[in-house]
Amino acid sequence: MSKDYKIYEITIVLPKDFLNFNSFQSLRHKQMAIIITDECINCGACEPECPNTAIYEGADDWRYKDGTKLKGKLILPDGTEVDADEPQTPISDDVYYIVPGKCTECKGFHDEPQCAAVCPVDCCIPDVNHVESEETLLNRQSFLHNH
């Protein structure tokens, strides 16, 4: 027995520069860690721009110590115990990725996220699953670099 299904087309209209994060003004009031979407072309332009070394090539292991002053066993601000020297599992195997626990949206370094500023395909966007205050981002920057 077959069933008939109705397919509805939905159009969502977004503000003109909703995905233009080079200016990053449309979501400035909400601080969020950044993600790299699967539209990434793996050009690598973003990786050297990150002051926290939070960006890694797909399938590459990452470490808390990379680009920070973190060393050995420590407790992260969220209470998680980690070894900064130990390799961590890649977040993506296919495209560059950003480690949320190391991303500060460049707070304490720049006025805007540098990954978004240099991305030629605008795939570095705010991660709505990691909404954080400016205070949290600045505390993370201090933790990573003054520990």
Side-chain angles (χ1 to χ4, degrees), residues 36 39-45 56-58 94-97 121 123:
I36 297 175
E39 280 82 33
C40 175
I41 59 173
N42 286 316
C43 71
Y56 295 85
E57 188 170 358
D94 302 319
V95 296
Y96 279 81
Y97 64 89
V121 292
C123 68

Side-chain angles (χ1 to χ4, degrees), residues 52-53 56 62-71 74 76 78 80 82-86 88 99 101-102 143-144:
N52 301 307
T53 312
Y56 295 85
W62 62 275
R63 292 167 180 76
Y64 282 99
K65 74 172 189 174
D66 298 340
T68 71
K69 290 187 176 181
L70 303 179
K71 296 181 211 169
L74 54 93
L76 299 175
D78 69 2
T80 306
V82 298
D83 186 333
D85 304 318
E86 289 292 316
Q88 304 293 316
V99 176
K102 291 180 74 178
F143 176 79
L144 294 172

Side-chain angles (χ1 to χ4, degrees), residues 73-112:
K73 294 191 181 204
L74 54 93
I75 297 176
L76 299 175
D78 69 2
T80 306
E81 187 176 329
V82 298
D83 186 333
D85 304 318
E86 289 292 316
Q88 304 293 316
T89 305
I91 293 172
S92 171
D93 289 328
D94 302 319
V95 296
Y96 279 81
Y97 64 89
I98 299 174
V99 176
K102 291 180 74 178
C103 179
T104 63
E105 293 185 27
C106 295
K107 296 291 182 194
F109 296 104
H110 304 285
D111 291 334
E112 65 180 350

Side-chain angles (χ1 to χ4, degrees), residues 15-63:
K16 180 179 169 187
D17 47 2
F18 183 76
L19 293 178
N20 179 6
F21 292 106
N22 289 334
S23 66
F24 215 68
Q25 296 302 312
S26 63
L27 294 174
R28 175 72 66 189
H29 64 285
K30 289 184 180 178
Q31 303 300 320
M32 302 178 192
I34 307 296
I35 59 170
I36 297 175
T37 68
D38 58 5
E39 280 82 33
C40 175
I41 59 173
N42 286 316
C43 71
C46 57
E47 186 179 24
E49 299 302 319
C50 181
N52 301 307
T53 312
I55 301 174
Y56 295 85
E57 188 170 358
D60 282 358
D61 291 341
W62 62 275
R63 292 167 180 76

